Amino acid sequence: MKRIKAIIVVPEVNLQLVLLYTFLLQWTMALDPNSIPVEKKPLYVPPLQEIADVLNKGLTSNFAEVKVEVVDSPDLTQKPFSLASKGGSAKIVEIGGPPYLLPVVDRNKVYDLKDIANLVHSNPAFIVGAGAGPHPYIGVNCEGIYNLNIINGTVEQHTRISKVDQNDENSIQEILPNSESRVALLANLFFCEGKPGKVLKVHVKKRIGPKDFIASIRTVLEEAYKDKLVGLGGAFVLKEGKAKQHVMRDFSKTPIEDEEALNNWLKFYNMSAPLVALGTLVNGDGGLDLRVQHFHSFSHHGEAGHYHYDTTPEIVEYLGYFNTGDEIYRIDKPKATHSWGRD
Ligand SMILES: *[C@@H]1O[C@H](CO)[C@@H](O)[C@H](O)[C@H]1NC(C)=O
Ligand SMILES: *[C@@H]1O[C@H](CO)[C@@H](O)[C@H](O)[C@H]1NC(C)=O
Ligand SMILES: [Zn+2]
């Protein structure tokens, strides 16, 4: 009885104002950057030539043709890569995680990459990677294929998003405007200075093993650097063949409780080359609850999504350019975590 009275005495106007304010706050602002938890760890940085040697040997169990070299970074601002800038000294940054999406979405988890660039002391910041797109801007949940420069707080966007058309379920790709620099829920990003330098060039053809391109690289690094945390980021192009990719549908109205429900909610596609994929991989969890690999790809023909693996082993060809990260930042790590939804 007492409780009911208490609700009734709250002046209705005030309650409405509070609700309106909460609503506006949710839809217009990213999280307060001063309150976002940040953890940082150095990464082990092997010489690039040593990584090239290890990969030249290790990747042959998964691909018929393997060639890994250390090269001067080519101009990846040109097609098909169309990156926002060049390489240079780099950091791996993981924001949030699947627990903010599953089983129930937390719509407040929206981060402005201008704030994140400040948090990780990156200026100029050239950012590539995979994350959930800015749903408050797009209007629905979506994939983000992050690719942007932030110089002295000024954003130059080349980021694509991909969403599921609510009428015919085709995927739709859009480029974000310079005025939109947010990422939602979870992201695996590679921050570098945008300078030319040496990079790893990984060129493989014809898949003869069960692993996707990134898992094959990651597992070789797990084996080679067992007690050390090594991270790579960068871009690869699927030059020939097709890939299984997903795009998240709009947020589920019911909780997604397990892997099976998750796979029914995701929309899967068989997308065609050339696909340009951006993201990061690490060879372990590092005690930071890390997602060990995450790449999203875009294209110049309209298809874009979250990369799983190629579906055409006989004809597949991958060309990747990667660099090592010197340190890893873990931002807003979920307090209550779980291990699913990370494929
Ligand atoms: C960014 O700011 C620094 C320091 O004020 C300045 O030296 C630099 O030229 C600026 N860069 C650009 C691209 O505006
Ligand atoms: C995807 O397309 C390739 C090439 O056309 C085909 O071989 C493969 O079976 C397809 N996979 C699926 C799951 O549709
Ligand atoms: Zn993804």
Side-chain angles (χ1 to χ4, degrees), residues 81-142:
F81 284 95
S82 307
L83 301 192
S85 188
K86 304 182 169 74
S89 166
K91 308 164 206 273
I92 288 177
V93 177
E94 174 157 351
I95 305 170
Y100 294 157
L101 174 67
L102 305 165
V104 178
V105 65
D106 181 348
R107 289 179 183 260
N108 291 314
K109 294 296 183 183
V110 178
Y111 312 83
D112 194 322
L113 291 175
K114 287 185 292 203
D115 298 332
I116 302 296
N118 287 335
L119 282 178
V120 306
H121 310 290
S122 189
N123 182 29
F126 163 45
I127 307 164
V128 290
H135 60 82
Y137 173 76
I138 297 296
V140 290
N141 187 25
C142 53

Side-chain angles (χ1 to χ4, degrees), residues 116-176:
I116 302 296
N118 287 335
L119 282 178
V120 306
H121 310 290
S122 189
N123 182 29
F126 163 45
I127 307 164
V128 290
H135 60 82
Y137 173 76
I138 297 296
V140 290
N141 187 25
C142 53
E143 306 289 339
I145 305 92
Y146 283 88
N147 179 15
L148 66 155
N149 290 313
I150 304 176
I151 304 170
N152 293 345
T154 300
V155 176
E156 186 200 327
Q157 270 292 17
H158 297 259
T159 296
R160 274 81 168 169
I161 65 91
S162 185
K163 63 183 179 184
V164 177
D165 188 316
Q166 293 185 317
N167 297 314
D168 61 13
E169 296 239 298
N170 286 328
S171 71
I172 305 175
Q173 175 177 262
E174 288 174 22
I175 299 189
L176 292 182

Side-chain angles (χ1 to χ4, degrees), residues 242 270 311-312:
K242 287 192 171 189
N270 200 13
T311 53
T312 53

Side-chain angles (χ1 to χ4, degrees), residues 130 143 246 291 294 296 306:
E143 306 289 339
H246 78 235
R291 186 167 187 157
H294 197 186
H296 285 180
H306 170 114

Side-chain angles (χ1 to χ4, degrees), residues 11-117:
E12 211 174 296
V13 171
N14 278 354
L15 189 64
Q16 278 171 1
L17 276 178
V18 168
L19 288 176
L20 180 68
Y21 180 72
T22 316
F23 179 81
L24 287 176
L25 202 66
Q26 267 198 32
W27 288 93
T28 58
M29 284 178 56
L31 294 175
D32 173 7
N34 298 318
S35 69
I36 303 177
V38 180
E39 289 168 76
K40 179 180 127 172
K41 264 195 178 178
L43 289 168
Y44 178 64
V45 187
L48 287 180
Q49 189 56 52
E50 184 182 301
I51 300 181
D53 294 344
V54 164
L55 290 177
N56 266 320
K57 211 154 137 210
L59 292 182
T60 53
S61 64
N62 210 60
F63 293 98
E65 290 180 40
V66 174
K67 189 171 186 195
V68 186
E69 303 163 87
V70 178
V71 299
D72 286 315
S73 175
D75 186 359
L76 296 180
T77 61
Q78 302 299 308
K79 275 191 175 183
F81 284 95
S82 307
L83 301 192
S85 188
K86 304 182 169 74
S89 166
K91 308 164 206 273
I92 288 177
V93 177
E94 174 157 351
I95 305 170
Y100 294 157
L101 174 67
L102 305 165
V104 178
V105 65
D106 181 348
R107 289 179 183 260
N108 291 314
K109 294 296 183 183
V110 178
Y111 312 83
D112 194 322
L113 291 175
K114 287 185 292 203
D115 298 332
I116 302 296

